Amino acid sequence: MNLATVILAAGLGTRMKSALPKALHPVNGKPMLQHVIDSIKQLKAQNNIVVIGRNNDGVRNTLGDNPVAFAVQKEPKGTGDALKAAVQRLKGFDGTILIVSGDTPLVNPATLRKLLKLHKKNREDISMISFIAGGAHAYGRIIRDGQKVTAIVEDKDAGEEHKKINEVNSGIYALESHMTALLKEIKVNKAKGEYYLTDIVGIAVGKGYRVGAHILGNETELTGINTRADLCKAGSYQRDRIVSKWMDSGVSFIDRASVFIHPEAEIGSDTVIYPNVHIEGRTVIGSGCVIYPNTRITGSVLGNNVTIKDSTLIESSVVKDKAAIGPFAHIRPGSVIGASAKIGNFVEIKKSLIGPGTKASHLSYLGDAEVGENVNIGAGTITCNYDGREKHKTLIEKDAFIGSDTQFVAPVRIGKGAYVGAGSTITRDVPPLALALSRTGQRHIEKWALKKQMGNEKSEIKNKRRKSKK
Ligand code: UD1
Ligand code: MG
């Protein structure tokens, strides 16, 4: 089958009330138009055209990396006019054109394939996917005379009888290329000043062409996004689908409704996800991990049997097998946490390599550091990595022991097996196996407290005398 696809995405999206083009509004972290493009891509059509508006450079720039060509609809004069813009880019194409609304992000490629199959089998000139809408909605109604489709009537133009019809238009059509000649017969809709693509159905039926509407999916898959409420609904439909998919492959969720899993994230079996966990971007989580509540992991790779304790943020980093992170830890981009390492309470790691088995359990900042294996980082250790102009590295070799409240004024290197005494400010390299101490020695002023107390008492007596003289 000669196949071309057209995605209509040039509408103003007025109902979103947004400065961001509707096509770029994300559904679970991915622009809604990208969802549609990803489904379309799987059909491997000869041409993929995305119709965008004149001022939609943002869309072109954001989504330009896809195997699609853009057609520009000069004015948003309706879906019929938008298809005309695409047809100009399909001159000489002879075959089937699959048209999908850019605001129907959850449609499955399998559903699109089913439509194409029925379209071919029934030798229809125009086929469309319809579905049964529940509750109040504003979709176009499929009008039938017996079984035969005769027209689509838009919600705004529907009278009481038509409003009762619950079989509605999904905005997804398969059209033989010769049918595009009918586009010029679509008249402007007086109520809205737009050319409705849906009118092509009545025109085609009037001319005796074969038209079919096929109920191929349900509202959760075919929901069209016009408002923020639709966007929210589509997001939760998809999240539910994603969670089901991962449960089927062996992942446990304590509360499926409160988690966010990016459509392209991956999770290994026997991993347990607690409530309010966000797994964003192309994050990969291994098997046997436990992700405790209020955690966000974005664009990262976690090995197997990793534990992420409560309220932790991990960004663009790698966490290796059996490592434990949190609670309240922040792993910033470019970090690698080694196998069985432990990053504990209120620890921030930035662009650092933390060796296997190394522990930084409390209240530390390690930035631009390279820490070897089995190092112990005491509570409150800080790398002073920034001198106001440049960032510098701290190197801590394997088996080193860093006492609490140490500052490393980078660049600095701590040799293998060296010790740093608690409370030190390290400004020079420490040789392997040495003990570095930079704090001032402790001294005692005997009976200092007693003298202070006596001093206080004397001044109190003086004050009282002064007051009584007044
Ligand atoms: C449309 C259908 C309706 C269907 C519903 C399914 C028409 C007239 N109505 O209504 O029957 O039930 O989708 O979700 O087609 N677009 C352009 N250029 C324009 C106008 C729109 O490219 O000038 C694009 C939009 O960006 C959008 C798509 O076409 O991706 C559909 O437009 P929209 O305004 O959302 O139509 P609906 O009112 O949802
Ligand atoms: Mg719509």
Side-chain angles (χ1 to χ4, degrees):
M1 180 196 278
N2 276 352
L3 180 67
T5 69
V6 173
I7 303 176
L8 306 180
L12 290 179
T14 342
R15 289 165 278 181
M16 295 297 283
K17 302 200 168 61
S18 174
L20 186 71
K22 180 164 95 170
L24 295 184
H25 275 267
V27 175
N28 291 320
K30 185 157 106 173
M32 69 169 98
L33 181 54
Q34 185 67 58
H35 282 275
V36 181
I37 292 175
D38 287 346
S39 288
I40 286 289
K41 272 200 286 208
Q42 301 200 26
L43 303 177
K44 302 205 163 43
Q46 285 152 266
N47 297 292
N48 298 307
I49 313 281
V50 179
V51 184
I52 56 171
R54 208 171 30 181
N55 300 318
N56 273 182
D57 283 347
V59 176
R60 197 191 287 263
N61 295 339
T62 312
L63 304 174
D65 275 350
N66 291 285
V68 296
F70 291 97
V72 174
Q73 182 190 18
K74 290 198 186 90
E75 303 291 335
K77 289 192 293 193
T79 44
D81 182 69
L83 181 59
K84 266 192 206 164
V87 167
Q88 285 188 352
R89 296 215 54 157
L90 286 173
K91 273 194 186 125
F93 174 79
D94 184 15
T96 305
I97 305 173
L98 177 75
I99 301 152
V100 183
S101 282
D103 64 355
T104 310
L106 304 189
V107 64
N108 273 318
T111 308
L112 300 175
R113 282 198 195 98
K114 275 189 210 157
L115 173 70
L116 292 170
K117 217 168 156 188
L118 283 169
H119 175 72
K120 198 173 168 201
K121 188 175 147 224
N122 298 350
R123 278 188 273 117
E124 286 162 354
D125 298 294
I126 300 179
S127 314
M128 69 203 91
I129 300 178
S130 57
F131 65 95
I132 305 299
H137 65 85
Y139 292 111
R141 307 312 201 268
I142 307 287
I143 313 297
R144 291 183 188 260
D145 182 2
Q147 283 302 302
K148 202 172 167 304
V149 175
T150 55
I152 300 175
V153 172
E154 286 305 292
D155 184 64
K156 280 211 170 72
D157 305 321
E160 243 173 67
E161 278 310 301
H162 284 161
K163 285 233 186 217
K164 283 185 199 150
I165 297 171
N166 61 4
E167 184 188 1
V168 298
N169 171 29
S170 67
I172 301 170
Y173 320 83
L175 198 92
E176 284 309 292
S177 49
H178 65 88
M179 297 303 283
T180 57
L182 301 187
L183 286 174
K184 59 178 185 303
E185 297 190 26
I186 295 176
K187 302 219 163 49
V188 70
N189 177 286
K190 296 229 172 64
K192 255 200 117 194
E194 287 187 0
Y195 296 87
Y196 287 169
L197 177 55
T198 44
D199 285 352
I200 201 172
V201 170
I203 296 169
V205 171
K207 289 183 186 288
Y209 287 108
R210 291 172 77 92
V211 177
H214 307 283
I215 301 176
L216 291 181
N218 55 28
E219 198 165 1
T220 55
E221 176 183 359
L222 297 167
T223 192
I225 295 179
N226 296 319
T227 62
R228 305 262 181 174
D230 297 335
L231 187 70
C232 184
K233 202 162 62 181
S236 77
Y237 284 156
Q238 194 189 42
R239 280 196 296 281
D240 206 49
R241 226 199 249 176
I242 293 170
V243 169
S244 294
K245 177 182 91 176
W246 291 117
M247 288 203 291
D248 287 347
S249 67
V251 179
S252 280
F253 292 86
I254 307 296
D255 172 19
R256 64 180 295 157
S258 73
V259 296
F260 174 105
I261 316 280
H262 189 275
E264 279 149 39
E266 287 175 36
I267 313 171
S269 62
D270 286 327
T271 285
V272 181
I273 311 267
Y274 275 75
N276 202 16
V277 166
H278 288 231
I279 295 169
E280 299 178 349
R282 292 195 174 143
T283 291
V284 178
I285 295 180
S287 56
C289 297
V290 186
I291 318 289
Y292 284 102
N294 308 323
T295 287
R296 186 157 75 89
I297 304 171
T298 172
S300 296
V301 177
L302 273 57
N304 299 326
N305 303 309
V306 166
T307 305
I308 308 295
K309 294 181 194 159
D310 315 45
S311 301
T312 290
L313 169 59
I314 301 177
E315 304 171 282
S316 307
S317 290
V318 174
V319 180
K320 303 228 169 134
D321 295 354
K322 293 187 187 156
I325 299 184
F328 300 100
H330 185 184
I331 312 297
R332 291 172 52 197
S335 299
V336 178
I337 311 300
S340 302
K342 182 168 183 261
I343 305 299
N345 303 259
F346 302 100
V347 173
E348 176 180 346
I349 309 277
K350 190 220 70 169
K351 212 176 170 187
S352 292
L353 306 180
I354 307 298
T358 285
K359 293 191 175 79
S361 299
H362 332 266
L363 301 157
S364 286
Y365 170 62
L366 301 174
D368 304 297
E370 240 176 73
V371 184
E373 61 188 283
N374 295 322
V375 169
N376 190 80
I377 305 276
T381 295
I382 302 287
T383 52
C384 311
N385 56 330
Y386 184 49
D387 61 11
R389 264 194 305 176
E390 281 177 69
K391 303 272 165 67
H392 300 282
K393 285 193 107 175
T394 300
L395 301 173
I396 304 174
E397 293 179 354
K398 64 186 278 194
D399 300 327
F401 183 97
I402 312 303
S404 297
D405 195 24
T406 293
Q407 301 103 54
F408 293 110
V409 182
V412 72
R413 172 191 287 265
I414 312 305
K416 191 171 143 188
Y419 278 65
V420 174
S424 294
T425 301
I426 301 298
T427 53
R428 287 183 290 126
D429 289 358
V430 179
L433 300 172
L435 167 66
L437 286 172
S438 80
R439 59 184 187 228
T440 49
Q442 184 169 329
R443 65 187 179 118
H444 296 167
I445 301 170
E446 297 297 334
K447 301 206 171 89
W448 182 87
L450 212 57
K451 284 176 202 156
K452 183 177 188 293
Q453 205 183 334
M454 279 160 57
N456 284 348
E457 278 165 13
K458 273 185 196 162
S459 61
E460 239 172 67
I461 294 166
K462 265 190 202 163
N463 279 345
K464 273 187 194 154
R465 278 192 195 140
R466 217 181 291 146
K467 274 186 195 154
S468 62
K469 272 184 192 165
K470 273 184 190 170

